[in-house]
Amino acid sequence: MVNGTLYLLLGIFILALIVAVTVKLVKGRGELPSASTRAGLDAPPTAVTGDLVDVPPELAGLETVETPVPTSTLDVPAPTAGRLGRLRARLARSNSAIGQGLLALLSGATIDADTWQEVGDTLIVADLGVAPARELVERLKVRVAAEDTADPERVRTMLREELLAIVDPTLDRSLSTTREDGLPAVILIVGVNGTGKTTTTGKLARVLIADGRTVVLGAADTFRAAAADQLQTWGDRVGATVVRGPEGGDPASVAFDAVHEGITENVDTVLIDTAGRLHTKSGLMDELGKVKRVVERQVPVNEVLLVLDATTGQNGLTQARVFAEVVQVTGIVLTKLDGTAKGGIVVAVQRELGVPVKLVGLGEGPDDLAPFDPEAFVDALVG
């Protein structure tokens, strides 16, 4: 009896032991990670050393994966051909008041003396200038009277043709960037503070590089602390060398060094960003003349581009006159043309200086500087 009881107890013990081991094995498969394992999971990502990721001990034996080291890439600007056409909608939105206002006046049932006065006023408000506005009104008067028409499409056609004629599509608006005797072309960028001169210099570098040219940038605006850094950023994005000097240094010296670097690197074009000078400060203006003379000791200056803010209107003409007296301005860059309904400044500044608008800024993007196309500009005005 005793032996039977012992055998029964022993059997129960063995059975309980088997059940306990089985339960432990089953639970082990679904068990949460231990504290040490959780610490490894919660840790920051393993640092990259060289080309391979360090492998934690618990993953040893698994196949490692090579992680490429990031490399910097240069911007590749889109070709500039047709750029103004692509930006036409932006230009049309900002200048539509001109075209729509004129068309509304000229498409009325009757066009009398008061109507023509309003047409002239609209053009003057758009900064076309008094003399060009009168000229345009007289031309339209003759044509409308000759055809005796109020057809909106015909009126739009006449308005477009007369606007295009006064913008003058015959002017040579190409940039003079032809190399002579193996030397780079040199372009000086001038203008007062706040017109977007340094930004224009950087954007122009993108325009030239987009068209397959090589560029050196000269940061000759040594009086504004951020100017050289800003230009450096533009140059780095497109792979253009930037020549700069000490803050407050001699701008003419920086310009000279930039041209020398352009000759050494055998680049196509050297762009020199000069300090933004107030036209009322004759000393600074004289210094601008010095920059030009120093550059010409090595190579001729191909272009002097005057940057004007389109929103300043007739005040910009005052600036233009003074700059033209100091250096021979060869072309105009109108910035912020997208933010104004005063597109007539294109005509006014051309009449004032006798030089063409060659480039226009139509936005804040890096590729929003476009070669000026008279037909695309007028089409944007009249819709």
Side-chain angles (χ1 to χ4, degrees):
M1 181 67 179
V2 174
N3 290 338
T5 302
L6 289 175
Y7 287 135
L8 179 61
L9 291 175
L10 182 60
I12 293 172
F13 175 78
I14 293 173
L15 180 61
L17 183 61
I18 292 172
V19 170
V21 172
T22 302
V23 169
K24 185 173 181 62
L25 288 175
V26 171
K27 287 180 64 179
R29 292 176 182 175
E31 190 174 40
L32 294 173
S34 64
S36 61
T37 303
R38 287 197 304 272
L41 291 174
D42 294 338
T46 307
V48 176
T49 57
D51 291 331
L52 297 177
V53 178
D54 291 341
V55 181
E58 61 267 31
L59 299 180
L62 296 179
E63 182 180 358
T64 57
V65 179
E66 292 190 1
T67 303
V69 178
T71 57
S72 59
T73 57
L74 297 177
D75 289 356
V76 182
T80 57
R83 182 178 288 182
L84 185 59
R86 294 195 295 273
L87 297 172
R88 176 180 167 182
R90 188 175 304 164
L91 183 61
R93 284 196 301 271
S94 60
N95 287 287
S96 60
I98 304 172
Q100 289 177 3
L102 293 175
L103 287 170
L105 291 169
L106 295 172
S107 300
T110 59
I111 303 177
D112 54 20
D114 290 339
T115 303
W116 287 117
Q117 182 63 50
E118 288 187 62
V119 169
D121 291 344
T122 301
L123 292 170
I124 292 172
V125 169
D127 277 335
L128 193 71
V130 175
R134 287 175 178 170
E135 181 183 326
L136 181 56
V137 167
E138 289 304 316
R139 288 182 182 179
L140 282 172
K141 269 186 180 181
V142 172
R143 294 190 62 176
V144 170
E147 297 192 24
D148 191 22
T149 180
D151 177 63
E153 287 307 313
R154 183 57 190 151
V155 170
R156 175 182 275 107
T157 298
M158 287 190 289
L159 177 60
R160 180 190 183 279
E161 291 172 351
E162 294 304 331
L163 281 170
L164 184 59
I166 207 166
V167 171
D168 197 350
T170 65
L171 292 174
D172 182 6
R173 301 177 190 278
S174 61
L175 289 177
S176 176
T177 55
T178 302
R179 299 183 59 173
E180 295 184 7
D181 301 325
L183 298 174
V186 176
I187 299 177
L188 294 184
I189 313 296
V190 303
V192 301
N193 289 315
T195 57
K197 187 174 44 54
T198 300
T199 298
T200 296
T201 305
K203 289 183 178 182
L204 180 54
R206 294 178 66 89
V207 166
L208 295 171
I209 289 172
D211 290 338
R213 305 187 70 82
T214 51
V215 175
V216 163
L217 298 172
D221 184 353
T222 60
F223 300 110
R224 189 165 63 91
D229 291 338
Q230 186 181 353
L231 201 61
Q232 185 73 56
T233 300
W234 283 103
D236 291 344
R237 290 177 66 175
V238 291
T241 300
V242 179
V243 176
R244 52 195 297 180
E247 184 178 339
D250 182 12
S253 176
V254 175
F256 184 91
D257 291 344
V259 172
H260 179 74
E261 182 69 19
I263 295 171
T264 302
E265 290 192 15
N266 193 34
V267 300
D268 298 313
T269 312
V270 177
L271 300 179
I272 299 176
D273 175 32
T274 61
R277 302 164 199 282
L278 294 174
H279 60 273
T280 54
K281 296 185 178 180
S282 58
L284 290 177
M285 296 300 292
D286 291 342
E287 188 175 89
L288 180 58
K290 176 186 173 184
V291 169
K292 187 171 184 287
R293 291 192 301 273
V294 167
V295 166
E296 289 181 329
R297 293 176 187 173
Q298 300 181 85
V299 296
V301 172
N302 295 64
E303 294 267 11
V304 178
L305 297 180
L306 174 60
V307 181
L308 295 176
D309 181 341
T311 64
T312 61
Q314 298 297 310
N315 186 49
L317 299 184
T318 303
Q319 301 168 11
R321 293 187 199 104
V322 178
F323 276 95
E325 292 171 3
V326 178
V327 288
Q328 185 179 357
V329 175
T330 60
I332 305 296
V333 182
L334 276 177
T335 63
K336 307 178 188 178
L337 195 59
D338 62 314
T340 174
K342 295 180 175 287
I345 192 65
V346 169
V347 174
V349 72
Q350 288 183 165
R351 291 289 185 93
E352 180 66 32
L353 296 186
V355 297
V357 171
K358 294 193 171 185
L359 297 157
V360 289
L362 296 168
E364 299 298 327
D367 293 320
D368 287 340
L369 184 70
F372 183 72
D373 180 339
E375 293 198 5
F377 175 74
V378 171
D379 285 343
L381 293 186
V382 299

